[in-house]
Amino acid sequence: NEGMVENAATQGAYLLDGLKEMKEKYQMIGDVRGLGLFCGIEIVADRETKEYFPTEADLANRITSAFAENGLLLRGGDRMNVAPPLRITRNEVDDLVSIMDKVFDQVSKNIGG
C-alpha cells in the first residue's frame, strides 16, 4: 500500500528526529540511526570509548522494566531496535518518544548516564 509506505517514511523521519533529540539530552545514548520506521539505539556507559555498561548494572532489565511500567512493550539493552507499526500516527510517535524520554531520564539518574 503506497500510503503506508509514505507514512512509514514520514513518521520514521519524525521518530528518528525525536531519538536524536534524546541523544543530545542523555549521555547514555551513544548513537541512534534509522531507516523508515526501523530505528536503532545504542546505550553506552562512555560515549568516547563506546564502552557498554557492565553486566552488574543490569541495564537491560532496568530499561525493559521502566518501559513496561510506562505502558511500552520494548526490550531494553545495549542495542535496542524500535520498529513501530507502519500505520503509526504522528501523535503515537509523540507518545512513544515521550515515554522513551521519561524512561531514559529515570534510568540515567539511577545508573549514572
PDB file of all heavy atoms in Angstrom, residues 39-69:
ATOM      1  N   CYS A  39      14.354   1.795  13.678  1.00  0.00           N
ATOM      2  CA  CYS A  39      15.392   2.625  14.290  1.00  0.00           C
ATOM      3  C   CYS A  39      16.182   1.805  15.306  1.00  0.00           C
ATOM      4  O   CYS A  39      15.662   0.876  15.914  1.00  0.00           O
ATOM      5  CB  CYS A  39      14.779   3.832  15.000  1.00  0.00           C
ATOM      6  SG  CYS A  39      13.943   4.967  13.883  1.00  0.00           S
ATOM      7  N   GLY A  40      17.425   2.176  15.479  1.00  0.00           N
ATOM      8  CA  GLY A  40      18.282   1.531  16.449  1.00  0.00           C
ATOM      9  C   GLY A  40      18.842   2.546  17.421  1.00  0.00           C
ATOM     10  O   GLY A  40      19.112   3.694  17.056  1.00  0.00           O
ATOM     11  N   ILE A  41      18.981   2.125  18.670  1.00  0.00           N
ATOM     12  CA  ILE A  41      19.536   2.977  19.724  1.00  0.00           C
ATOM     13  C   ILE A  41      20.653   2.181  20.397  1.00  0.00           C
ATOM     14  O   ILE A  41      20.462   1.019  20.747  1.00  0.00           O
ATOM     15  CB  ILE A  41      18.467   3.323  20.788  1.00  0.00           C
ATOM     16  CG1 ILE A  41      17.258   3.985  20.142  1.00  0.00           C
ATOM     17  CG2 ILE A  41      19.063   4.211  21.884  1.00  0.00           C
ATOM     18  CD1 ILE A  41      16.067   4.133  21.081  1.00  0.00           C
ATOM     19  N   GLU A  42      21.800   2.822  20.570  1.00  0.00           N
ATOM     20  CA  GLU A  42      22.914   2.189  21.263  1.00  0.00           C
ATOM     21  C   GLU A  42      23.084   2.868  22.613  1.00  0.00           C
ATOM     22  O   GLU A  42      23.160   4.097  22.690  1.00  0.00           O
ATOM     23  CB  GLU A  42      24.192   2.321  20.441  1.00  0.00           C
ATOM     24  CG  GLU A  42      25.360   1.576  21.028  1.00  0.00           C
ATOM     25  CD  GLU A  42      26.578   1.621  20.133  1.00  0.00           C
ATOM     26  OE1 GLU A  42      26.791   2.644  19.453  1.00  0.00           O
ATOM     27  OE2 GLU A  42      27.320   0.641  20.126  1.00  0.00           O
ATOM     28  N   ILE A  43      23.128   2.069  23.671  1.00  0.00           N
ATOM     29  CA  ILE A  43      23.270   2.575  25.031  1.00  0.00           C
ATOM     30  C   ILE A  43      24.691   2.285  25.505  1.00  0.00           C
ATOM     31  O   ILE A  43      25.153   1.137  25.434  1.00  0.00           O
ATOM     32  CB  ILE A  43      22.255   1.905  25.991  1.00  0.00           C
ATOM     33  CG1 ILE A  43      20.826   2.026  25.445  1.00  0.00           C
ATOM     34  CG2 ILE A  43      22.368   2.488  27.391  1.00  0.00           C
ATOM     35  CD1 ILE A  43      20.318   3.437  25.283  1.00  0.00           C
ATOM     36  N   VAL A  44      25.383   3.316  25.959  1.00  0.00           N
ATOM     37  CA  VAL A  44      26.785   3.168  26.364  1.00  0.00           C
ATOM     38  C   VAL A  44      27.035   3.814  27.722  1.00  0.00           C
ATOM     39  O   VAL A  44      26.364   4.763  28.105  1.00  0.00           O
ATOM     40  CB  VAL A  44      27.744   3.796  25.319  1.00  0.00           C
ATOM     41  CG1 VAL A  44      27.671   3.046  23.999  1.00  0.00           C
ATOM     42  CG2 VAL A  44      27.468   5.276  25.121  1.00  0.00           C
ATOM     43  N   ALA A  45      28.031   3.293  28.411  1.00  0.00           N
ATOM     44  CA  ALA A  45      28.466   3.892  29.670  1.00  0.00           C
ATOM     45  C   ALA A  45      29.358   5.093  29.395  1.00  0.00           C
ATOM     46  O   ALA A  45      29.387   6.046  30.166  1.00  0.00           O
ATOM     47  CB  ALA A  45      29.215   2.864  30.520  1.00  0.00           C
ATOM     48  N   ASP A  46      30.067   5.051  28.249  1.00  0.00           N
ATOM     49  CA  ASP A  46      31.005   6.117  27.896  1.00  0.00           C
ATOM     50  C   ASP A  46      30.938   6.358  26.394  1.00  0.00           C
ATOM     51  O   ASP A  46      31.298   5.487  25.599  1.00  0.00           O
ATOM     52  CB  ASP A  46      32.423   5.697  28.313  1.00  0.00           C
ATOM     53  CG  ASP A  46      33.450   6.794  28.110  1.00  0.00           C
ATOM     54  OD1 ASP A  46      33.381   7.516  27.090  1.00  0.00           O
ATOM     55  OD2 ASP A  46      34.331   6.923  28.975  1.00  0.00           O
ATOM     56  N   ARG A  47      30.477   7.544  26.014  1.00  0.00           N
ATOM     57  CA  ARG A  47      30.341   7.869  24.595  1.00  0.00           C
ATOM     58  C   ARG A  47      31.676   7.904  23.852  1.00  0.00           C
ATOM     59  O   ARG A  47      31.744   7.578  22.681  1.00  0.00           O
ATOM     60  CB  ARG A  47      29.674   9.238  24.431  1.00  0.00           C
ATOM     61  CG  ARG A  47      28.242   9.137  24.090  1.00  0.00           C
ATOM     62  CD  ARG A  47      27.759  10.458  23.540  1.00  0.00           C
ATOM     63  NE  ARG A  47      26.342  10.553  23.809  1.00  0.00           N
ATOM     64  CZ  ARG A  47      25.648  11.649  23.682  1.00  0.00           C
ATOM     65  NH1 ARG A  47      26.229  12.759  23.316  1.00  0.00           N
ATOM     66  NH2 ARG A  47      24.370  11.652  23.933  1.00  0.00           N
ATOM     67  N   GLU A  48      32.711   8.348  24.540  1.00  0.00           N
ATOM     68  CA  GLU A  48      34.021   8.469  23.895  1.00  0.00           C
ATOM     69  C   GLU A  48      34.596   7.103  23.531  1.00  0.00           C
ATOM     70  O   GLU A  48      35.081   6.909  22.425  1.00  0.00           O
ATOM     71  CB  GLU A  48      35.005   9.215  24.806  1.00  0.00           C
ATOM     72  CG  GLU A  48      34.609  10.652  25.093  1.00  0.00           C
ATOM     73  CD  GLU A  48      34.510  11.499  23.827  1.00  0.00           C
ATOM     74  OE1 GLU A  48      35.425  11.423  22.985  1.00  0.00           O
ATOM     75  OE2 GLU A  48      33.504  12.225  23.678  1.00  0.00           O
ATOM     76  N   THR A  49      34.556   6.173  24.466  1.00  0.00           N
ATOM     77  CA  THR A  49      35.147   4.849  24.235  1.00  0.00           C
ATOM     78  C   THR A  49      34.140   3.864  23.645  1.00  0.00           C
ATOM     79  O   THR A  49      34.524   2.775  23.214  1.00  0.00           O
ATOM     80  CB  THR A  49      35.685   4.256  25.548  1.00  0.00           C
ATOM     81  OG1 THR A  49      34.585   4.012  26.430  1.00  0.00           O
ATOM     82  CG2 THR A  49      36.704   5.173  26.197  1.00  0.00           C
ATOM     83  N   LYS A  50      32.851   4.228  23.664  1.00  0.00           N
ATOM     84  CA  LYS A  50      31.752   3.350  23.224  1.00  0.00           C
ATOM     85  C   LYS A  50      31.608   2.114  24.119  1.00  0.00           C
ATOM     86  O   LYS A  50      31.018   1.118  23.740  1.00  0.00           O
ATOM     87  CB  LYS A  50      31.933   2.911  21.760  1.00  0.00           C
ATOM     88  CG  LYS A  50      31.991   4.040  20.777  1.00  0.00           C
ATOM     89  CD  LYS A  50      30.629   4.648  20.576  1.00  0.00           C
ATOM     90  CE  LYS A  50      30.679   5.646  19.424  1.00  0.00           C
ATOM     91  NZ  LYS A  50      29.460   6.377  19.280  1.00  0.00           N
ATOM     92  N   GLU A  51      32.179   2.208  25.325  1.00  0.00           N
ATOM     93  CA  GLU A  51      32.110   1.101  26.276  1.00  0.00           C
ATOM     94  C   GLU A  51      30.676   0.948  26.780  1.00  0.00           C
ATOM     95  O   GLU A  51      30.011   1.928  27.121  1.00  0.00           O
ATOM     96  CB  GLU A  51      33.057   1.382  27.444  1.00  0.00           C
ATOM     97  CG  GLU A  51      33.117   0.300  28.479  1.00  0.00           C
ATOM     98  CD  GLU A  51      34.048   0.654  29.635  1.00  0.00           C
ATOM     99  OE1 GLU A  51      34.897   1.546  29.458  1.00  0.00           O
ATOM    100  OE2 GLU A  51      33.899   0.048  30.700  1.00  0.00           O
ATOM    101  N   TYR A  52      30.233  -0.303  26.843  1.00  0.00           N
ATOM    102  CA  TYR A  52      28.893  -0.589  27.345  1.00  0.00           C
ATOM    103  C   TYR A  52      28.892  -0.628  28.865  1.00  0.00           C
ATOM    104  O   TYR A  52      29.938  -0.714  29.493  1.00  0.00           O
ATOM    105  CB  TYR A  52      28.386  -1.925  26.793  1.00  0.00           C
ATOM    106  CG  TYR A  52      28.180  -1.912  25.301  1.00  0.00           C
ATOM    107  CD1 TYR A  52      28.900  -2.754  24.468  1.00  0.00           C
ATOM    108  CD2 TYR A  52      27.268  -1.036  24.717  1.00  0.00           C
ATOM    109  CE1 TYR A  52      28.708  -2.738  23.089  1.00  0.00           C
ATOM    110  CE2 TYR A  52      27.073  -1.006  23.344  1.00  0.00           C
ATOM    111  CZ  TYR A  52      27.796  -1.859  22.540  1.00  0.00           C
ATOM    112  OH  TYR A  52      27.618  -1.833  21.184  1.00  0.00           O
ATOM    113  N   PHE A  53      27.709  -0.585  29.447  1.00  0.00           N
ATOM    114  CA  PHE A  53      27.577  -0.725  30.891  1.00  0.00           C
ATOM    115  C   PHE A  53      27.971  -2.141  31.288  1.00  0.00           C
ATOM    116  O   PHE A  53      27.698  -3.092  30.552  1.00  0.00           O
ATOM    117  CB  PHE A  53      26.133  -0.439  31.346  1.00  0.00           C
ATOM    118  CG  PHE A  53      25.799   1.020  31.397  1.00  0.00           C
ATOM    119  CD1 PHE A  53      25.243   1.666  30.306  1.00  0.00           C
ATOM    120  CD2 PHE A  53      26.052   1.763  32.541  1.00  0.00           C
ATOM    121  CE1 PHE A  53      24.938   3.013  30.348  1.00  0.00           C
ATOM    122  CE2 PHE A  53      25.752   3.112  32.603  1.00  0.00           C
ATOM    123  CZ  PHE A  53      25.206   3.741  31.499  1.00  0.00           C
ATOM    124  N   PRO A  54      28.579  -2.308  32.461  1.00  0.00           N
ATOM    125  CA  PRO A  54      28.937  -3.661  32.908  1.00  0.00           C
ATOM    126  C   PRO A  54      27.676  -4.491  33.180  1.00  0.00           C
ATOM    127  O   PRO A  54      26.609  -3.942  33.468  1.00  0.00           O
ATOM    128  CB  PRO A  54      29.727  -3.416  34.200  1.00  0.00           C
ATOM    129  CG  PRO A  54      29.343  -2.051  34.644  1.00  0.00           C
ATOM    130  CD  PRO A  54      28.960  -1.283  33.422  1.00  0.00           C
ATOM    131  N   THR A  55      27.822  -5.786  33.097  1.00  0.00           N
ATOM    132  CA  THR A  55      26.700  -6.706  33.304  1.00  0.00           C
ATOM    133  C   THR A  55      25.997  -6.457  34.633  1.00  0.00           C
ATOM    134  O   THR A  55      24.766  -6.481  34.718  1.00  0.00           O
ATOM    135  CB  THR A  55      27.197  -8.167  33.251  1.00  0.00           C
ATOM    136  OG1 THR A  55      27.877  -8.357  32.011  1.00  0.00           O
ATOM    137  CG2 THR A  55      26.056  -9.146  33.346  1.00  0.00           C
ATOM    138  N   GLU A  56      26.783  -6.180  35.673  1.00  0.00           N
ATOM    139  CA  GLU A  56      26.186  -5.991  37.005  1.00  0.00           C
ATOM    140  C   GLU A  56      25.295  -4.744  37.098  1.00  0.00           C
ATOM    141  O   GLU A  56      24.532  -4.595  38.041  1.00  0.00           O
ATOM    142  CB  GLU A  56      27.256  -5.978  38.104  1.00  0.00           C
ATOM    143  CG  GLU A  56      28.373  -4.996  37.918  1.00  0.00           C
ATOM    144  CD  GLU A  56      29.555  -5.530  37.108  1.00  0.00           C
ATOM    145  OE1 GLU A  56      29.439  -6.591  36.473  1.00  0.00           O
ATOM    146  OE2 GLU A  56      30.588  -4.849  37.096  1.00  0.00           O
ATOM    147  N   ALA A  57      25.379  -3.853  36.121  1.00  0.00           N
ATOM    148  CA  ALA A  57      24.492  -2.681  36.105  1.00  0.00           C
ATOM    149  C   ALA A  57      23.048  -3.083  35.794  1.00  0.00           C
ATOM    150  O   ALA A  57      22.127  -2.319  36.040  1.00  0.00           O
ATOM    151  CB  ALA A  57      24.982  -1.650  35.082  1.00  0.00           C
ATOM    152  N   ASP A  58      22.862  -4.294  35.242  1.00  0.00           N
ATOM    153  CA  ASP A  58      21.533  -4.829  34.943  1.00  0.00           C
ATOM    154  C   ASP A  58      20.734  -3.880  34.044  1.00  0.00           C
ATOM    155  O   ASP A  58      19.534  -3.691  34.215  1.00  0.00           O
ATOM    156  CB  ASP A  58      20.783  -5.123  36.251  1.00  0.00           C
ATOM    157  CG  ASP A  58      19.659  -6.125  36.062  1.00  0.00           C
ATOM    158  OD1 ASP A  58      19.719  -6.924  35.110  1.00  0.00           O
ATOM    159  OD2 ASP A  58      18.713  -6.089  36.872  1.00  0.00           O
ATOM    160  N   LEU A  59      21.421  -3.299  33.085  1.00  0.00           N
ATOM    161  CA  LEU A  59      20.840  -2.283  32.206  1.00  0.00           C
ATOM    162  C   LEU A  59      19.594  -2.775  31.468  1.00  0.00           C
ATOM    163  O   LEU A  59      18.559  -2.104  31.472  1.00  0.00           O
ATOM    164  CB  LEU A  59      21.889  -1.800  31.203  1.00  0.00           C
ATOM    165  CG  LEU A  59      21.390  -0.781  30.186  1.00  0.00           C
ATOM    166  CD1 LEU A  59      21.267   0.581  30.849  1.00  0.00           C
ATOM    167  CD2 LEU A  59      22.321  -0.716  28.997  1.00  0.00           C
ATOM    168  N   ALA A  60      19.693  -3.935  30.828  1.00  0.00           N
ATOM    169  CA  ALA A  60      18.573  -4.436  30.023  1.00  0.00           C
ATOM    170  C   ALA A  60      17.307  -4.563  30.861  1.00  0.00           C
ATOM    171  O   ALA A  60      16.234  -4.111  30.451  1.00  0.00           O
ATOM    172  CB  ALA A  60      18.939  -5.773  29.386  1.00  0.00           C
ATOM    173  N   ASN A  61      17.426  -5.155  32.032  1.00  0.00           N
ATOM    174  CA  ASN A  61      16.245  -5.320  32.887  1.00  0.00           C
ATOM    175  C   ASN A  61      15.724  -3.987  33.401  1.00  0.00           C
ATOM    176  O   ASN A  61      14.509  -3.786  33.496  1.00  0.00           O
ATOM    177  CB  ASN A  61      16.554  -6.251  34.063  1.00  0.00           C
ATOM    178  CG  ASN A  61      16.632  -7.699  33.643  1.00  0.00           C
ATOM    179  OD1 ASN A  61      15.983  -8.110  32.689  1.00  0.00           O
ATOM    180  ND2 ASN A  61      17.450  -8.469  34.337  1.00  0.00           N
ATOM    181  N   ARG A  62      16.618  -3.086  33.748  1.00  0.00           N
ATOM    182  CA  ARG A  62      16.182  -1.763  34.235  1.00  0.00           C
ATOM    183  C   ARG A  62      15.368  -1.028  33.173  1.00  0.00           C
ATOM    184  O   ARG A  62      14.309  -0.477  33.458  1.00  0.00           O
ATOM    185  CB  ARG A  62      17.387  -0.903  34.604  1.00  0.00           C
ATOM    186  CG  ARG A  62      18.069  -1.265  35.891  1.00  0.00           C
ATOM    187  CD  ARG A  62      19.284  -0.377  36.054  1.00  0.00           C
ATOM    188  NE  ARG A  62      20.102  -0.774  37.172  1.00  0.00           N
ATOM    189  CZ  ARG A  62      20.408   0.021  38.183  1.00  0.00           C
ATOM    190  NH1 ARG A  62      19.968   1.260  38.222  1.00  0.00           N
ATOM    191  NH2 ARG A  62      21.164  -0.410  39.160  1.00  0.00           N
ATOM    192  N   ILE A  63      15.886  -1.010  31.954  1.00  0.00           N
ATOM    193  CA  ILE A  63      15.196  -0.285  30.879  1.00  0.00           C
ATOM    194  C   ILE A  63      13.901  -0.992  30.502  1.00  0.00           C
ATOM    195  O   ILE A  63      12.857  -0.348  30.363  1.00  0.00           O
ATOM    196  CB  ILE A  63      16.119  -0.114  29.654  1.00  0.00           C
ATOM    197  CG1 ILE A  63      17.282   0.818  30.005  1.00  0.00           C
ATOM    198  CG2 ILE A  63      15.345   0.451  28.474  1.00  0.00           C
ATOM    199  CD1 ILE A  63      18.319   0.966  28.901  1.00  0.00           C
ATOM    200  N   THR A  64      13.950  -2.308  30.335  1.00  0.00           N
ATOM    201  CA  THR A  64      12.750  -3.059  29.966  1.00  0.00           C
ATOM    202  C   THR A  64      11.648  -2.877  31.009  1.00  0.00           C
ATOM    203  O   THR A  64      10.487  -2.647  30.657  1.00  0.00           O
ATOM    204  CB  THR A  64      13.086  -4.557  29.786  1.00  0.00           C
ATOM    205  OG1 THR A  64      14.098  -4.682  28.776  1.00  0.00           O
ATOM    206  CG2 THR A  64      11.859  -5.356  29.385  1.00  0.00           C
ATOM    207  N   SER A  65      12.008  -2.960  32.293  1.00  0.00           N
ATOM    208  CA  SER A  65      11.019  -2.776  33.368  1.00  0.00           C
ATOM    209  C   SER A  65      10.440  -1.371  33.364  1.00  0.00           C
ATOM    210  O   SER A  65       9.234  -1.185  33.537  1.00  0.00           O
ATOM    211  CB  SER A  65      11.662  -3.058  34.729  1.00  0.00           C
ATOM    212  OG  SER A  65      12.014  -4.406  34.837  1.00  0.00           O
ATOM    213  N   ALA A  66      11.300  -0.375  33.154  1.00  0.00           N
ATOM    214  CA  ALA A  66      10.821   1.017  33.129  1.00  0.00           C
ATOM    215  C   ALA A  66       9.883   1.245  31.946  1.00  0.00           C
ATOM    216  O   ALA A  66       8.871   1.940  32.074  1.00  0.00           O
ATOM    217  CB  ALA A  66      12.005   1.976  33.084  1.00  0.00           C
ATOM    218  N   PHE A  67      10.195   0.665  30.792  1.00  0.00           N
ATOM    219  CA  PHE A  67       9.278   0.769  29.648  1.00  0.00           C
ATOM    220  C   PHE A  67       7.930   0.155  30.007  1.00  0.00           C
ATOM    221  O   PHE A  67       6.883   0.769  29.786  1.00  0.00           O
ATOM    222  CB  PHE A  67       9.839   0.054  28.418  1.00  0.00           C
ATOM    223  CG  PHE A  67      10.911   0.804  27.670  1.00  0.00           C
ATOM    224  CD1 PHE A  67      11.943   0.116  27.058  1.00  0.00           C
ATOM    225  CD2 PHE A  67      10.894   2.181  27.558  1.00  0.00           C
ATOM    226  CE1 PHE A  67      12.929   0.781  26.348  1.00  0.00           C
ATOM    227  CE2 PHE A  67      11.876   2.862  26.853  1.00  0.00           C
ATOM    228  CZ  PHE A  67      12.899   2.159  26.254  1.00  0.00           C
ATOM    229  N   ALA A  68       7.941  -1.054  30.572  1.00  0.00           N
ATOM    230  CA  ALA A  68       6.700  -1.753  30.913  1.00  0.00           C
ATOM    231  C   ALA A  68       5.877  -0.955  31.921  1.00  0.00           C
ATOM    232  O   ALA A  68       4.654  -0.855  31.785  1.00  0.00           O
ATOM    233  CB  ALA A  68       7.013  -3.149  31.452  1.00  0.00           C
ATOM    234  N   GLU A  69       6.545  -0.371  32.915  1.00  0.00           N
ATOM    235  CA  GLU A  69       5.850   0.434  33.918  1.00  0.00           C
ATOM    236  C   GLU A  69       5.163   1.651  33.303  1.00  0.00           C
ATOM    237  O   GLU A  69       4.219   2.190  33.862  1.00  0.00           O
ATOM    238  CB  GLU A  69       6.827   0.901  34.997  1.00  0.00           C
ATOM    239  CG  GLU A  69       7.308  -0.207  35.907  1.00  0.00           C
ATOM    240  CD  GLU A  69       8.519   0.186  36.737  1.00  0.00           C
ATOM    241  OE1 GLU A  69       8.847   1.396  36.808  1.00  0.00           O
ATOM    242  OE2 GLU A  69       9.149  -0.724  37.307  1.00  0.00           O
TER     243      GLU A  69
END
